[in-house]
Amino acid sequence: MELYGRDEERAVVEGLLDGARKQRGGVLVVRGEAGIGKTALLDHAAEHAPDLRVLRGLGIESESELAFAGLHLLLGAHAALLDALPAPQARALRAAFGLDVDVRAAADDGPGAGRGSSADRFLVGLAVLSLLGEIADERPLLVLVDDAQWLDQASVEALLFAARRLGSDPVALVFAVRDGHPFPASGLAELRLTGLDEESGAHLLHRHADGLPAHVRGMILQEAHGNPLALLELPAALSAAQRSGDLHADFFHLGSRPVSERVERTFLDRARALPARAQDLLLVAAAEPTGDLGAVLTAGRALDASLDDLAAAEASRLISVADGRLRFTHPLSRSAVYRAAPLSLRTAAHRALAEATTADRRAWHRAAAATGPDESVAADLERTAEAARRRGGHQAEAAAYERAAALSPADEQRARRLVAAAEAVENAGEQQRAATLADRAAAHPHDPLTRARLARIRATAANARGDQRAAHALLVDAAAEVGPYDAEAAAYMFLDAMSAAWALNDPGMIARTSAGLTALRSSPVPHAEPGAAHLVTAVDGLAAVALGDPARGLPAARLLVEAPATAASAPGLWERASTHWWHQLIGDLGAAYERARALERDCRAGDAIGLMPAALFHLARAQLLMGRLRDATATASEGVRIAEDTRQGLFAGNLRGVLAHIAAAEGDEDRCRALTKELSAQGLPIAGAWSGGALALLDLGHGRHDEALHRLEDLWAGPHGHSGFALYALPDLVESAVRVGRTERAEAATAAFATWADATGQPWARAVTLRCRALLATVGAAGAVAGAGSVDPAEAASGSDPAEAASGSDPADVASGSDPADALFAEAVGVHRVHPHDQRPFERARTELLYGEWLRRRLRRTDARPRLRAALELFEAVGAPLWAERARAELRATGETTPVRDREPGLLDRLTPQELQIVRLAATGLSNRDIAAQLFLSPRTVGYHLYKAYPKLGVAARGELARMDLGERRPSAGPEAQAPPGPA
């Protein structure tokens, strides 16, 4: 077919096809008003892809509430290929297609699923990605989805999840979306179609409506506004007198209505010209979205229409029939026929179709025919909702429950179904809509357990929109009410309430939570439920920490995060992800890392894609704090990608915060500032804390101590000043405050950090406390800092220091070791060194650097060199080049004669974060398919990354990877140099 005036658009589509031919997957979202030519562009793509396999799908408005209806229409014919998929993916897609519902139902209720669990709706998307790869195995694939705005939400989520991961798959995917309808395709390439230019429009009109008088052509061109469908259909709607130009322009009935309405009117006029029974059959066809010819004819007979009447409808060019399917020539013709019919006829059509169809369609047709409450219809819809839940179609489940509630004659049934609808919407990830449904459900009488479920839904939505105060009030009230009936549920609600109070650092909210816990603890029920008693004790400990008593609170808080995974009441994945937030509070980073790694591993094994952003955030945070910057980059990068794909903005922001801190530690100013800018653009309440801490560390590395102190004081005084963000940044505040002579601020920060460090009992925290005290001890009586600042590069090159020359001190006196700072620095280094697997090598390196700088300024250059060498080696090991250069400059200033060469980048440093993940898994013997399943990618994308990684690693085959050291980098403890002499 010929496209007029679409040269640029055709080039975009043909470029997408060329990419698929070159093993490069691509996605395009074509947007525009009705009739603007979206379908024609899809037809053009199909015509220009003779060497590609072409799949076509269609969104149908009346099917938008049927879970996976669009996906089944697109891919159901290829169900035979499901056996080639990894077993969990195959089960998920079979369940989505209604082929294996029992398996999916069992999976929903399996062990370890955790509170609020449901079928992971993103696993279907991963299965779609794998299935598309299988279909494209022999030749590239073109997938065309028209009217995508009418796809059911479950199909949209699955297709977009796959679309964002096509990578190296030879698949081109094109969605056509009508303007004015939501379609969540952020981050995907878009092409907007506008009206044809005047010349192209005139050519099209001339081709299809030749012989019109010039003034009539001009009128149509003016009214069509370049809309191709209007240019084709408006001339056909003209009477003979209008075509000849004998009638006035007012008789065109075009006026100022939108083009789609004008075109729809032409379709309606054409339908009304048909015989009555043909119109009835056309209405039945408009009410049955599947185009099932048998169902339409069966239902038509109930309205006295027959196969003969179908011929008249076909002759009108409103419908066509092929391969047993009836299809409207344009969606506007379907909507025109359906909307113009009176309610009585629409009801009759749906009632007839209900008798001609089965299962889900029967229930929805019965609902469409209902004119008032009907328990039989409501129960039918409820069964449809339950089937949708088993398939993972939470939006369809919610729609069926909500409609069932509207048709329920009894208040009790209506309330129960509204609760189920709210929970289904929450499982679909739409917290605010879930809260609206929960508000409606809460207006009905409920038992305490149901009221608690509704309160939790409303609190989750309040937290998501940043209203922790409202969330706290809902949770505390509901927990107090439900406690006598379900102590464990109450305890979890108190935990969530404490999280909200902690986020706002509100003593009143914390005290109210504690009072509720006291009441729950006094009840006999918690003692009968060990899990509840354990939670009550742990949450009470968090309250103590928040109110300034970590010594009392931390031991109790440990109970929250150290529950044995093998216990009979072991928490599920959801609970583990939720409670891991508190791990950084107890300071045991080794345990935090191991538990985060176990959580990540279990989420991958269970295909819990929806929980992966949380698991990867906890793991990346632990890796960052432990100085494993390269591994943290790989983890956080994957986490951002999955969080964005699954629309989890909070975790996307938290993971960007981790990446910003990594960039700061590496001294990468441009990347750090770009990431903090993205964080600010997200508008998350926690963004300021992440950005402030990262930019302060960046300033500190560059020697901008005033700027660092300003940022850290804002963080400490802000709403997150009590949190782990500020807690772990306190040593930075101490260093920057000492550098600019703000001793009182450094003292307060040191005291706060020491209180917490003592309560943790962690050696690394004690060593950092000693370092902070040593920095304070370097401050002279007049407030000047002995040895503040880093050495100037020019001075370092000469091996001299003006400060030494100006001091007038006798080296023998200075080196006597009588300075208290010396003893504190030496003790700090000693505490770091006695633990060969130091949990925070970056902090140890900073301790060594600060000690070495101080020793050099005190003219003890021989003593300084081992400290500075240790710092240099550690900074290089963790990948912090800015800090390494600072240590190197200090070494040159001591007159170090042994040249210190820049470390050559290791083999693994040449890999991208994703390549690193893939080669590690490949080295364990996993196949590309197995790796793809673990990393939620396609096997071809895995193969592409391996192809790119082999030359970087100097290997030619997969087997060589097993002989390489590809494990997570654990920086060495550094040279065990002899400690300098302590105080006399």
Side-chain angles (χ1 to χ4, degrees):
M1 68 177 293
E2 183 176 2
L3 288 181
Y4 293 87
R6 297 296 191 200
D7 292 346
E8 293 183 6
E9 292 84 350
R10 284 186 299 174
V12 172
V13 169
E14 288 163 14
L16 189 71
L17 300 180
D18 287 340
R21 294 182 180 104
K22 297 173 182 176
Q23 306 290 309
R24 188 174 64 246
V27 189
L28 181 66
V29 179
V30 181
R31 294 185 186 268
E33 67 178 14
I36 201 66
K38 302 183 296 295
T39 300
L41 192 62
L42 266 57
D43 290 340
H44 172 83
E47 290 175 8
H48 285 72
D51 54 329
L52 275 68
R53 174 174 286 177
V54 180
L55 295 183
R56 299 200 70 152
L58 178 68
I60 302 171
E61 184 175 7
S62 53
E63 284 201 312
S64 60
E65 304 296 357
L66 299 179
F68 297 111
L71 196 65
H72 191 274
L73 180 64
L74 180 68
L75 298 174
H78 298 275
L81 294 175
L82 293 180
D83 289 339
L85 273 56
Q89 296 178 31
R91 284 197 300 271
L93 205 47
R94 284 194 180 96
F97 289 166
L99 303 175
D100 202 2
V101 172
D102 291 339
V103 173
R104 189 52 175 254
D108 285 351
D109 303 322
R115 178 174 56 140
S117 67
S118 63
D120 195 314
R121 64 192 190 277
F122 305 110
L123 183 58
V124 178
L126 184 59
V128 169
L129 176 66
S130 299
L131 182 57
L132 290 175
E134 290 296 327
I135 297 171
D137 187 50
E138 294 182 0
R139 55 178 172 149
L141 175 65
L142 172 62
V143 182
L144 304 171
V145 183
D146 207 353
D147 275 326
Q149 75 277 355
W150 299 133
L151 287 173
D152 60 280
Q153 188 63 29
S155 294
V156 170
E157 286 186 343
L159 286 168
L160 290 180
F161 188 90
R164 290 188 169 96
R165 284 169 167 71
L166 286 175
S168 301
D169 291 271
V171 178
L173 179 54
V174 186
F175 297 99
V177 180
R178 189 185 302 180
D179 281 346
H181 299 273
F183 189 75
S186 60
L188 300 180
E190 291 199 3
L191 177 64
R192 177 161 295 281
L193 297 188
T194 56
L196 300 179
D197 60 74
E198 187 172 351
E199 182 180 358
S200 300
H203 281 309
L204 178 61
L205 185 59
H206 174 73
R207 173 75 179 272
H208 293 275
D210 192 20
L212 293 175
H215 71 282
V216 176
R217 288 201 308 272
M219 179 68 70
I220 292 174
L221 285 170
Q222 181 180 355
E223 294 292 338
H225 296 292
N227 184 293
L229 184 62
L231 290 168
L232 294 174
E233 295 295 336
L234 292 179
L238 300 178
S239 67
Q242 290 170 329
R243 291 179 65 85
S244 66
D246 292 340
L247 289 182
H248 190 270
D250 289 345
F251 284 89
F252 282 102
H253 300 294
L254 300 180
S256 59
R257 290 179 297 172
V259 172
S260 61
E261 287 186 24
R262 304 171 202 167
V263 175
E264 195 173 66
R265 177 71 183 187
T266 69
F267 288 136
L268 182 58
D269 289 343
R270 202 183 301 168
R272 284 176 172 170
L274 295 172
R277 287 187 300 186
Q279 289 188 50
D280 290 345
L281 190 64
L282 205 58
L283 173 60
V284 172
E288 171 47 44
T290 64
D292 184 338
L293 183 59
V296 169
L297 291 175
T298 300
R301 282 194 290 272
L303 303 179
D304 295 327
S306 67
L307 186 62
D308 293 336
D309 299 306
L310 183 65
E314 282 189 277
S316 71
R317 296 188 298 110
L318 291 170
I319 60 171
S320 62
V321 178
D323 300 324
R325 293 284 167 182
L326 186 153
R327 180 183 179 188
F328 279 80
T329 54
H330 194 277
L332 288 178
S333 60
R334 176 193 293 273
S335 60
V337 169
Y338 187 81
R339 288 200 301 230
L343 176 62
S344 59
L345 285 180
R346 292 203 305 268
T347 300
H350 282 295
R351 190 176 295 117
L353 283 165
E355 296 302 319
T357 54
T358 58
D360 292 352
R361 299 188 195 287
R362 177 178 183 274
W364 281 105
H365 281 304
R366 292 189 71 201
T371 56
D374 187 322
E375 178 57 29
S376 171
V377 177
D380 212 359
L381 280 169
E382 184 168 359
R383 285 188 287 272
T384 294
E386 291 165 356
R389 177 186 63 81
R390 291 192 293 268
R391 296 199 299 270
H394 301 301
Q395 290 282 9
E397 175 193 359
Y401 271 128
E402 189 173 2
R403 181 70 175 132
L407 293 173
S408 300
D411 283 344
E412 181 182 352
Q413 295 286 57
R414 184 181 304 115
R416 179 179 60 78
R417 286 161 178 158
L418 279 174
V419 172
E423 291 184 327
V425 170
E426 185 184 38
N427 283 333
E430 294 190 27
Q431 286 92 353
Q432 301 310 319
R433 185 181 163 218
T436 300
L437 285 167
D439 289 340
R440 289 172 54 192
H444 299 276
H446 291 291
D447 61 89
L449 291 174
T450 303
R451 286 196 293 272
R453 288 160 60 193
L454 291 171
R456 183 188 57 75
I457 292 171
R458 297 159 76 193
T460 299
N463 267 321
R465 65 176 181 264
D467 191 354
Q468 280 84 19
R469 201 168 297 280
H472 179 269
L474 285 164
L475 290 165
V476 169
D477 290 346
E481 184 181 11
V482 80
Y485 305 93
D486 188 335
E488 188 162 0
Y492 268 115
M493 297 181 84
F494 276 126
L495 171 61
D496 292 340
M498 182 60 71
S499 298
W502 184 283
L504 293 178
N505 195 19
D506 188 314
M509 291 167 66
I510 294 168
R512 188 179 173 203
T513 311
S514 295
L517 284 166
T518 299
L520 184 63
R521 190 186 301 106
S522 64
S523 167
V525 179
H527 301 292
E529 298 184 32
H534 158 86
L535 280 170
V536 168
T537 302
V539 178
D540 199 38
L542 296 177
V545 176
L547 295 174
D549 189 1
R552 182 175 72 87
L554 285 185
R558 283 192 185 92
L559 295 174
L560 186 63
V561 297
E562 294 181 352
T566 57
S569 59
L573 292 178
W574 192 95
E575 287 83 359
R576 288 163 61 190
S578 177
T579 58
H580 204 292
W581 282 100
W582 303 100
H583 237 306
Q584 62 180 319
L585 190 65
I586 63 176
D588 188 350
L589 301 180
Y593 167 79
E594 294 299 339
R595 285 183 168 80
R597 173 60 84 195
L599 176 63
E600 177 232 13
R601 185 171 53 246
D602 292 346
C603 284
R604 291 193 195 278
D607 295 291
I609 303 174
L611 276 176
M612 280 299 293
L616 291 171
F617 165 70
H618 295 315
L619 179 60
R621 175 76 169 153
Q623 290 167 328
L624 167 65
L625 292 173
M626 298 179 75
R628 303 179 187 179
L629 302 187
R630 183 184 59 213
D631 298 317
T633 299
T635 301
S637 298
E638 182 188 12
V640 168
R641 178 169 54 85
I642 296 176
E644 289 180 338
D645 287 353
T646 55
R647 291 181 293 164
Q648 298 186 59
L650 176 63
F651 280 109
N654 285 327
L655 287 154
R656 280 196 179 93
V658 171
L659 290 170
H661 274 73
I662 295 169
E666 293 173 341
D668 190 336
E669 183 143 13
D670 290 343
R671 184 162 168 265
C672 181
R673 293 191 182 279
L675 285 162
T676 53
K677 186 176 180 179
E678 288 181 31
L679 269 171
S680 298
Q682 278 189 260
L684 296 172
I686 200 67
W690 277 116
S691 298
L695 292 172
L697 181 60
L698 182 72
D699 287 334
L700 201 59
H702 282 282
R704 299 187 292 256
H705 300 114
D706 280 312
E707 292 92 333
L709 181 60
H710 177 72
R711 296 185 196 280
L712 291 166
E713 286 187 317
D714 284 349
L715 174 59
W716 187 249
H720 300 287
H722 64 294
S723 68
F725 298 101
L727 185 64
Y728 281 77
L730 278 176
D732 298 343
L733 194 156
V734 172
E735 183 175 343
S736 57
V738 167
R739 294 305 198 197
V740 300
R742 293 286 304 279
T743 310
E744 75 287 353
R745 293 298 295 120
E747 288 173 344
T750 298
F753 188 81
T755 299
W756 173 77
D758 289 345
T760 69
Q762 296 298 318
W764 73 263
R766 178 169 174 258
V768 173
T769 300
L770 291 166
R771 182 182 84 204
C772 292
R773 288 173 175 158
L775 281 169
L776 282 170
T778 64
V779 180
V785 181
S790 57
V791 68
D792 183 271
E795 299 164 10
S798 65
S800 63
D801 185 351
E804 295 178 2
S807 68
S809 301
D810 186 327
D813 293 337
V814 175
S816 64
S818 59
D819 197 312
D822 193 4
L824 289 166
F825 270 131
E827 187 178 359
V829 168
V831 173
H832 277 303
R833 288 177 59 235
V834 296
H835 297 276
H837 298 296
D838 187 12
Q839 291 187 352
R840 303 203 67 189
F842 184 71
E843 293 303 322
R844 175 185 168 181
R846 288 177 62 183
T847 301
E848 299 273 14
L849 175 62
L850 288 168
Y851 191 13
E853 286 177 345
W854 182 82
L855 289 168
R856 183 186 67 77
R857 296 282 180 171
R858 300 290 288 172
L859 309 182
R860 295 169 57 183
R861 287 186 278 184
T862 300
D863 293 332
R865 287 173 191 141
R867 305 275 64 83
L868 296 172
R869 289 191 204 107
L872 174 61
E873 181 177 320
L874 283 164
F875 283 136
E876 288 183 331
V878 300
L882 177 67
W883 292 82
E885 182 52 40
R886 180 169 153 185
R888 189 177 292 111
E890 289 287 342
L891 264 174
R892 289 195 295 267
T894 68
E896 174 74 76
T897 55
T898 303
V900 181
R901 295 176 297 187
D902 290 352
R903 180 179 68 93
E904 290 293 327
L907 287 176
L908 298 188
D909 296 323
R910 303 172 185 174
L911 302 178
T912 67
Q914 198 162 67
E915 288 169 354
L916 178 61
Q917 286 182 302
I918 288 171
V919 297
R920 280 176 171 165
L921 292 171
T924 67
L926 292 180
S927 67
N928 287 6
R929 190 179 302 277
D930 293 334
I931 296 170
Q934 286 211 21
L935 297 183
F936 312 124
L937 300 169
S938 73
R940 275 193 177 86
T941 298
V942 170
Y944 171 79
H945 284 298
L946 284 174
Y947 172 79
K948 299 287 285 185
Y950 285 169
K952 297 178 182 181
L953 296 175
V955 300
R958 192 188 208 92
E960 297 178 58
L961 295 175
R963 297 190 291 272
M964 300 185 69
D965 181 11
L966 300 172
E968 282 201 351
R969 176 182 243 156
R970 300 184 181 225
S972 67
E976 298 303 319
Q978 182 179 354

